[in-house]
C-alpha cells in the first residue's frame, strides 16, 4: 500500500464527513445511513469520488453504524458493508485506499452498561471481517468516546483481519474522554494493542483540537491522525451548520500538520471543498519526524502511570491470598466486595497500581481473575497488575482489562517467555521480568544481569520494546544469606545502568524470618530507591513504607517544595524522640 | 643520626635490662637506682659498655625513675640525669645512640589518682629537657601501663625537646593495658601525638610478646619496638630469676623480627649475653617493609573506633546546649552529673563517639570544656568529639583528652585552617572538615568537592594525612531548597570516591522546618549510607535513627548473620502493619 509506505515522507489525507452530505441529499433523521449503500449507491459513490477528487487518499466507507445491533439480520449487514467497501473502492481507484469505517456500537459496556466485553469484540470482529473480505485496505475505528469499547474494536480488528488498524477518539476540549480517561491513558492502551496510527476526530473544530495536539504527540509513538469537524455545530433556522469555513479550516490544519500530525482529513461538517483547501494548504509540508517515546507506561481506563514521572511507582500488594486467610475466604466465597474494599483502601492510601493475584489451588483461577479484574476496574481508577502463574488466567484478564496492564510475570525460562511474550505483544502491557531461569536464581549480581539481558533480547524477537519490561532482580531474605540484599541491590543498579531497564522489587521479602520486619523493609526500600529502583510491590497500609516513599520523594527533589510531604504530615503533631529504646516499642 | 636513618634498612638494637645488673652489683632494694649515676658511675658505664660491646646501638640511660617526685631537689635531679646521659654517651661512642629513658611517675593521674594531667606534663618535661640538654639522642618513654600518663610524657618530650620520641607500653598477654586500653587505642593515641617509634616492653618474655605482634603491626604505621623480659620472672631461693635463656630469647626474637619489628632489645632479666645472642641471630634479617595503615581512627583510653570497621560511626549529638534548655541550665550550674548522664545514656543506646559541645556565650568555654571532657572520660569508654568554635577551648580539651579525639571542626577558610590544623598535628585527632569557606557554602556539589580538596591539600602542608580528615559536605533543610539533600548526597559520594576521604553528616538538619522530621531524618540517613556515608551525628535516643542504623548494617552485610539486629529486636513482638494511615498516627 503505497500511501501507507509514504507515511512520514509526506502528509496523507483522509476524506471528510459523510453524514452531513447524505442529509443534504435527503437522508432522513432516523434513517440508517448505511442502507444508502444499497438504496442510493450512486449518491454514496459520488460523495466518495468528490472527496477523492479533492485530494483525499484514504476514503472512509459509509459503514459507521454497520454493526449487528443496528443490522440484526446477518445477510443485510454483510451486504451493507460489502457494498460500502465496493463503492469506496470504486471512488478511491488504484492509488487511493479504503478505510473500513467502524463507529461505536451505541451500547455501553459492562459494568456501566450491559454489553459484555467479549460480545463487543464479537460484534466489531464481524464488521471488520466483512470489510476486510470485501477488500478494505485498512480498518478505521473512529469517533470512540470510550477507550474500553475502542479496545474491543481494535482487538477484534486485529484478531479477525490482517489489516492495519487506525483508531481515533473523541475527547472534550481538555482532552478528557467521555468515560473519564485522558489522552496518555488512551495512547498507552491503543499503542499497547498495536494500532498503526491513532488520533482524534469529531467533537470540535481544528482550532480547539490544535490545543490538544502537543499533549497527544508527547505520548504517542505511532503516526497521529487529526480529523476535526468544521468547527462547533450550531443550529440555524432548524439546520445544523458548522462555524468554520474551508479556508479557515485549512489554515488551522496547516498548524496542526506543522505541529506534527501526519494524517489529516475532516469529520462532521466538512465537505470536499474543505478537504481540497486542506490538501492545497498542507500537502507540501514536510512531516515532523516521529520520535519513539520509550516511556514505560501502564494505564487504567482513567489514567496513565508513567514510570519516569512517578518515581517510585507503588504497587499495592494486598490483593494476594498468600498469608491472608481473610482474603482466601473471600475468594472462596466469591465475596468480591471484600476484594474491592482492599483495592479501594490501597488506592486511597497512595498505591499507584494494584497487584491482583487470586491464585488458590481450589479456585477456577481464570474465571475468578476475570471477575475480580472486571469488578476492580469498575471501582478503582488506577492501573492493575495482573499477577498469575496461569497463562490462561492472564489472557482472560488481559483481554478484559480496560487499559495497558502491568503483567506479573515472565522469567528467563524458555517456557515462560514462550507463553508470556505473545500475550504481552498482543494485549500490550509492561511485563515484570524476574531474573531467574532454568538454573534457578543466580547467586551473583552478574548472573541476574545476564538473565535480564537474555529476557530483553528475547522480548525484542517478539517485538516487545525494552521499555515494556520492568525487571525484578529478586530479593531473598537476609536471614538466609548475609549478602542477599547487597547482591540484589548491585543487580538492580547494573540492570538500570547497563541495560537501561526499569526495575521493581518485592521489597518485603528481604526481612522474612527476622523480627521487626518493617524496619528492615523500610531501610531496604530506601536503599533500593537510592540505587535507582523505579517501582516496588509494597503494602500501602504499612506506615513505615509510605513514610519512606514520601520522605524519599521529598529528599530527592521529586516532591516539589515538599508539598505532598507537608500535606501528608502537617496535620500531625510532631512525635518527639522517645526517651529510650524501650518506650516506642511499648506504644 | 645514622642509626635512625638506617631504620627499615637493617634491624636496630636496643640494649637490655639495667635494674637486674645493678642489683647483681649490690643495688639494695629501696635504693634509687639512678643515684648510682653519681655514686657508682663506673658500674653504670661498664654495664652500658657491655651492652654496646654486645651489639646494642641504642643505650638507655639509667634515668627510669629520675623525676621530680622521686628527686624533689632540682639540683640533684638535674645531676642524676645529666650524669646518666654522660655515662651512656661514653659507652655508646660516636656510632651509638643514647636514649633518655623516662619511666612512669609512679603516681596515678586524675581522675583515678590525684596527679593533674598538666602537672605530669610538667614533670616529664623537666626530665626530658634535662636529658636533651645533656646530649641524649632520643627520648624513650617506656614501661608505661597507662596511655594517659604516656600521653603526658610524649606531649612533654615533644614540647620541651626536639628529639625523636619512642614510646613502649606494658600490656598483659592479651594486649590489654593496666588501665583497660588495648593496643589499637594506644597506637592511635601515640601516632596521633607523633611518636617516631612505638612498641612493647617488659611484662613478659618474647614468647608471649610474639603473639601480640600481629595485632600491633596491624594498626601501627611507625617502626615497632619490642623489648621483652627474659621470660616471666620467678622467685628461686629468694632471688628473682627469669625463665628464658639467651639462645631461646634470641630464637624468639628472630621470629619477632621476621614478623615485622624493626627495633629490638631487652628488658628485665636480659643481660649483654642476651643482647649479643639477639644481635647475632637477627642482624642479617631484612626488615619487613612498613605499610602505612591509612586507617581513620579515633580512640578513648579504652578503645579505638576505626571508621572502616564500624560503618557507620554514630556520633551522639546530645551534649550540645543548642535547643536544650535543660542542658544549658546544667552547664550554667556546673551540674556535671547531668552532662555525664547524657553521655552514659547515649553510649548505652549505641553511640560510638560522643560529641561534646559546651558553647554558651555566658560560660568560660575553655574551662567548662576541660571540666566536661575530664569528667566524661572518667565515666564513658568511647571516644569524644571535641566540638567548639573556640581554638582555646579546643586546645585545652585536646591536651587533656586521653585518646585520639574527633575534632569538630575545621573549614575551608584560611583562618580556620590556620588555627585548627596545628592543633590536629600536635595532639593528633581526626578533624571534621566542613565544606564551606570565605564565600559561604557552595550551592553545588562541585563547589563542595573543591573545598574538600582544598582542605585536604592544605592539611597535607601541615603534615596531616587525608585519613585524619572526615569531610562533612553539609546538609541544609529541604524546606529551604528543593535540591538541598540531593546536592549534599552528590557531594558526599564524590568526596568519598574522587578524593578517597571519609564523610560525616549532621543528618537531622535536613528536615528543619518540616513536620515529622524523624521520618525525613531516617530516610535521609539511609540514603546517605547507601551513597557511602561513614559517620553521622545523630540522636541515639531517636528510635528511628537507631532502627535505620541496625537495619542498614543487617542489609549491607556488616552485621554478621544479623546477630546485632536480632539481639536488638528479637525480644519484641512484631508490630503488624496498622489497618490504615490514620491509625498509627494516633498511637
Ligand atoms: Zn464527526
Ligand atoms: Zn622490664
Ligand atoms: Zn569511607
Amino acid at each position: 500500500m503505497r500511501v501507507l509506505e509514504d507515511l512520514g515522507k509526506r502528509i496523507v489525507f483522509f476524506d471528510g464527513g459523510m453524514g452531513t452530505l447524505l442529509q443534504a441529499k435527503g437522508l432522513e433523521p432516523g434513517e440508517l445511513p448505511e442502507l444508502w449503500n444499497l438504496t442510493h449507491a450512486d449518491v454514496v459513490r459520488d460523495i466518495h469520488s468528490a472527496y477523492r477528487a479533492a485530494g483525499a487518499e484514504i476514503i472512509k466507507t459509509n459503514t459507521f453504524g454497520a454493526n449487528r445491533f443496528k443490522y440484526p439480520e446477518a445477510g443485510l449487514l454483510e451486504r451493507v458493508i460489502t457494498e460500502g467497501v465496493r463503492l469506496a473502492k470504486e471512488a478511491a481507484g488504484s492509488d487511493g485506499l479504503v478505510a473500513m469505517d467502524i463507529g461505536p456500537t451505541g451500547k455501553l459496556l459492562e459494568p456501566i452498561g450491559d454489553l459484555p466485553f467479549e460480545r463487543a469484540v464479537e460484534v466489531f470482529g464481524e464488521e471488520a471481517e466483512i470489510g476486510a473480505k470485501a477488500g478494505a485496505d485498512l480498518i478505521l475505528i473512529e469517533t470512540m468516546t470510550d477507550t474500553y469499547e475502542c479496545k474491543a474494536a481494535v482487538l477484534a480488528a486485529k484478531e479477525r483481519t490482517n489489516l492495519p488498524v487506525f483508531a481515533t477518539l473523541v475527547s472534550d476540549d481538555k482532552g478528557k474522554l467521555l468515560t473519564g480517561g485522558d489522552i496518555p491513558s488512551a495512547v498507552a492502551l491503543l499503542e499497547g494493542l498495536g494500532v498503526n496510527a491513532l488520533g482524534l476526530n469529531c467533537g470540535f473544530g481544528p482550532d480547539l483540537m490544535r490545543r490538544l495536539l502537543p499533549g497527544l504527540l508527547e505520548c504517542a509513538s505511532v503516526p497521529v491522525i487529526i480529523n476535526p469537524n468544521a468547527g462547533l455545530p450550531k443550529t440555524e433556522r432548524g439546520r445544523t451548520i458548522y462555524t468554520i469555513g474551508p479556508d479557515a479550516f485549512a489554515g488551522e490544519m496547516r498548524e496542526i500538520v506543522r505541529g506534527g500530525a501526519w494524517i489529516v482529513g475532516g469529520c462532521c461538517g466538512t465537505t470536499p471543498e474543505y478537504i481540497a483547501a486542506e490538501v492545497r494548504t498542507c500537502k507540501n509540508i514536510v512531516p515532523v519526524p516521529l520520535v519513539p517515546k520509550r516511556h514505560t507506561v501502564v494505564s487504567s481506563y482513567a489514567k496513565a502511570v508513567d514510570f519516569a514521572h512517578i518515581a517510585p511507582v507503588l504497587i499495592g500488594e494486598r490483593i494476594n491470598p498468600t498469608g491472608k486467610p481473610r482474603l482466601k475466604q473471600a475468594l472462596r466465597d466469591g465475596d468480591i466486595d471484600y476484594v474491592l474494599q482492599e483495592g479501594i483502601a490501597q488506592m486511597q492510601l497512595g498505591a499507584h497500581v494494584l497487584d491482583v493475584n487470586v491464585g488458590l489451588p481450589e479456585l477456577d483461577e481464570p474465571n475468578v481473575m476475570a471477575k475480580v479484574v472486571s469488578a476492580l476496574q469498575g471501582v478503582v481508577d488506577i492501573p492493575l497488575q495482573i499477577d498469575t502463574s496461569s497463562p490462561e488466567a492472564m489472557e482472560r484478564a488481559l483481554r478484559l482489562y480496560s487499559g495497558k496492564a502491568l503483567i506479573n510475570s515472565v522469567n528467563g525460562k524458555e517456557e515462560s517467555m514462550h507463553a508470556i511474550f505473545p500475550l504481552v505483544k498482543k494485549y500490550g502491557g509492561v511485563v515484570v521480568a524476574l531474573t531467574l531461569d532454568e538454573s534457578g536464581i543466580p547467586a551473583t549480581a552478574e548472573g541476574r544481569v545476564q538473565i535480564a539481558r537474555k529476557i530483553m533480547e528475547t522480548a525484542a524477537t517478539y517485538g516487545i520494546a525494552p521499555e515494556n519490561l520492568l525487571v525484578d532482580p529478586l530479593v531473598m531474605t537476609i536471614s538466609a544469606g548475609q549478602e542477599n540484599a547487597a547482591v540484589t541491590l548491585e543487580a538492580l543498579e547494573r540492570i538500570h545502568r547497563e541495560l537501561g531497564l526499569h526495575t521493581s522489587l518485592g521489597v518485603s521479602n528481604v526481612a522474612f524470618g527476622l523480627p521487626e520486619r518493617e524496619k528492615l523493609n523500610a531501610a531496604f526500600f530506601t536503599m533500593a530507591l537510592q540505587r535507582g529502583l523505579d517501582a516496588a510491590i509494597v503494602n500501602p497500609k504499612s506506615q513505615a513504607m509510605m513514610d519512606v516513599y514520601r520522605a524519599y520523594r521529598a529528599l530527592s527533589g521529586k516532591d516539589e517544595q515538599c508539598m505532598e510531604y507537608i500535606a501528608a504530615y502537617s496535620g500531625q503533631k510532631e512525635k518527639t524522640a522517645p526517651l529510650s529504646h524501650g518506650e516506642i516499642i511499648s506504644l
Side-chain angles (χ1 to χ4, degrees), chain A:
Chain A
M1 277 172 293
R2 203 181 45 73
V3 172
L4 290 185
E5 284 160 13
D6 280 358
L7 274 177
K9 294 178 198 146
R10 57 182 185 78
I11 301 303
V12 169
F13 297 93
F14 259 111
D15 58 7
M18 171 62 73
T20 324
L21 298 179
L22 290 180
Q23 280 157 28
K25 296 288 179 185
L27 179 74
E28 296 292 333
E31 195 180 349
L32 289 173
E34 299 81 10
L35 281 178
W36 278 41
N37 295 343
L38 308 180
T39 58
H40 301 73
D42 49 347
V43 173
V44 173
R45 182 177 39 224
D46 287 351
I47 293 171
H48 287 326
S49 295
Y51 275 123
R52 184 74 184 96
E57 304 164 87
I58 312 180
I59 303 300
K60 299 184 289 244
T61 57
N62 181 32
T63 55
F64 182 81
N67 61 56
R68 182 56 76 104
F69 299 123
K70 290 180 186 152
Y71 296 86
E73 202 239 296
L76 179 60
L77 178 65
E78 188 164 353
R79 274 192 294 138
V80 162
I81 294 173
T82 303
E83 274 308 291
V85 172
R86 193 180 61 76
L87 295 172
K89 280 177 81 76
E90 278 183 29
S94 60
D95 287 347
L97 296 181
V98 169
M100 166 64 199
D101 191 294
I102 296 178
T105 57
K107 293 179 177 290
L108 292 173
L109 269 75
E110 288 182 343
I112 300 166
D114 55 13
L115 175 60
F117 180 81
E118 293 295 358
R119 176 73 184 127
V121 173
E122 202 182 310
V123 165
F124 285 124
E126 184 179 25
E127 285 182 74
E129 192 176 307
I130 299 168
K133 216 179 280 176
D137 298 300
L138 59 90
I139 309 286
L140 172 67
I141 295 153
E142 62 142 312
T143 321
M144 286 287 168
T145 53
D146 175 4
T147 48
Y148 197 29
E149 186 176 10
C150 191
K151 171 172 179 166
V154 173
L155 200 53
K158 287 271 174 190
E159 287 186 330
R160 303 276 287 266
T161 82
N162 291 315
L163 298 181
V165 177
F166 290 9
T168 58
L169 302 162
V170 183
S171 81
D172 69 12
D173 61 352
K174 303 282 187 291
K176 282 277 173 206
L177 301 183
L178 191 66
T179 48
D182 57 11
I183 286 177
S185 63
V187 169
L189 172 77
L190 295 175
E191 291 193 352
L193 291 167
V195 297
N196 301 83
L198 58 77
L200 298 170
N201 78 292
C202 207
F204 35 77
D207 48 342
L208 294 178
M209 217 171 260
R210 204 175 126 188
R211 298 193 199 154
L212 300 177
L213 186 64
L216 180 54
L217 287 167
E218 201 178 294
C219 50
S221 296
V222 299
V224 164
I225 305 163
I226 300 289
N227 286 338
N229 291 344
L232 292 168
K234 58 178 186 179
T235 309
E236 209 164 75
R237 276 170 271 156
R239 279 182 59 215
T240 299
I241 63 152
Y242 287 86
T243 48
I244 295 182
D247 290 336
F249 183 87
E252 293 288 348
M253 292 311 290
R254 180 178 53 218
E255 298 314 311
I256 284 175
V257 167
R258 283 181 178 160
W262 280 11
I263 310 172
V264 291
C267 199
C268 306
T270 62
T271 63
E273 205 185 343
Y274 284 76
I275 300 302
E278 178 181 271
V279 170
R280 211 164 37 237
T281 312
C282 300
K283 70 176 172 197
N284 290 323
I285 300 175
V286 177
V288 175
L290 196 64
V291 181
K293 299 309 177 295
R294 303 248 166 268
H295 294 170
T296 298
V297 178
V298 295
S299 65
S300 65
Y301 75 93
K303 54 175 82 160
V305 167
D306 184 327
F307 283 63
H309 294 171
I310 300 183
V313 171
L314 300 178
I315 305 165
E317 71 183 9
R318 302 279 305 163
I319 303 181
N320 183 327
T322 311
K324 302 197 189 70
R326 178 72 188 81
L327 180 63
K328 272 186 188 146
Q329 199 51 51
L331 290 171
R332 279 192 210 102
D333 299 347
D335 177 2
I336 294 289
D337 277 356
Y338 180 81
V339 179
L340 298 187
Q341 279 160 24
E342 278 287 356
I344 292 166
Q346 291 181 87
M347 180 177 72
Q348 286 170 342
L349 288 169
H352 304 114
V353 175
L354 292 183
D355 182 65
V356 184
N357 182 314
V358 296
L360 279 178
E362 63 270 36
L363 293 184
D364 171 4
E365 193 178 344
N367 270 326
V368 175
M369 179 63 100
K371 219 176 288 175
V372 168
V373 166
S374 283
L376 267 175
Q377 67 189 359
V379 298
V380 302
D381 67 357
I382 56 176
L384 303 182
Q385 167 165 278
I386 310 300
D387 181 2
T388 171
S389 55
S390 152
E392 194 195 339
M394 188 178 284
E395 182 157 19
R396 281 285 298 279
L398 289 176
R399 290 184 74 82
L400 277 173
Y401 181 59
S402 139
K404 180 184 178 191
L406 195 52
I407 301 172
N408 192 343
S409 59
V410 73
N411 62 53
K413 293 180 186 171
E414 283 303 322
E415 186 193 351
S416 168
M417 295 191 287
H418 191 70
I420 303 304
F421 282 150
L423 300 180
V424 178
K425 176 63 183 167
K426 177 170 180 182
Y427 298 104
V430 169
V431 64
V432 175
L434 310 180
T435 59
L436 62 87
D437 65 9
E438 288 81 1
S439 310
I441 300 172
T444 63
E446 171 61 24
R448 297 187 201 179
V449 174
Q450 276 173 12
I451 293 179
R453 181 177 282 117
K454 175 175 74 179
I455 294 174
M456 181 176 74
E457 288 168 357
T458 309
T461 68
Y462 284 85
I464 297 166
E467 64 265 27
N468 285 323
L469 298 175
L470 185 66
V471 181
D472 182 339
L474 298 169
V475 57
M476 283 165 299
T477 171
I478 52 169
S479 69
Q482 184 71 49
E483 67 303 326
N484 277 344
V487 167
T488 300
L489 292 176
E490 192 198 329
L492 170 71
E493 186 172 356
R494 289 188 52 193
I495 288 162
H496 205 263
R497 197 183 56 225
E498 296 174 22
L499 306 182
L501 298 176
H502 284 309
T503 54
S504 178
L505 274 178
V507 171
S508 52
N509 298 338
V510 81
F512 191 80
L514 288 169
E516 290 285 308
R517 292 176 58 174
E518 275 208 327
K519 295 185 197 312
L520 288 166
N521 292 346
F524 184 65
F525 187 25
T526 318
M527 290 163 74
L529 288 169
Q530 193 57 39
R531 296 290 278 269
L533 185 69
D534 299 292
I537 301 181
V538 299
N539 177 2
K541 296 182 176 180
S542 159
Q543 180 68 27
M545 297 302 268
M546 297 308 290
D547 286 348
V548 162
Y549 168 77
R550 293 196 192 93
Y552 173 77
R553 286 182 51 83
L555 290 163
S556 61
K558 295 178 205 294
D559 174 7
E560 208 161 330
Q561 295 190 297
C562 307
M563 306 263 273
E564 295 169 16
Y565 187 88
I566 293 168
Y569 299 113
S570 64
Q572 305 164 9
K573 67 174 196 298
E574 175 140 1
K575 269 193 301 192
T576 49
L579 281 174
S580 79
H581 184 78
E583 276 193 71
I584 196 164
I585 296 311
S586 64
L587 280 176

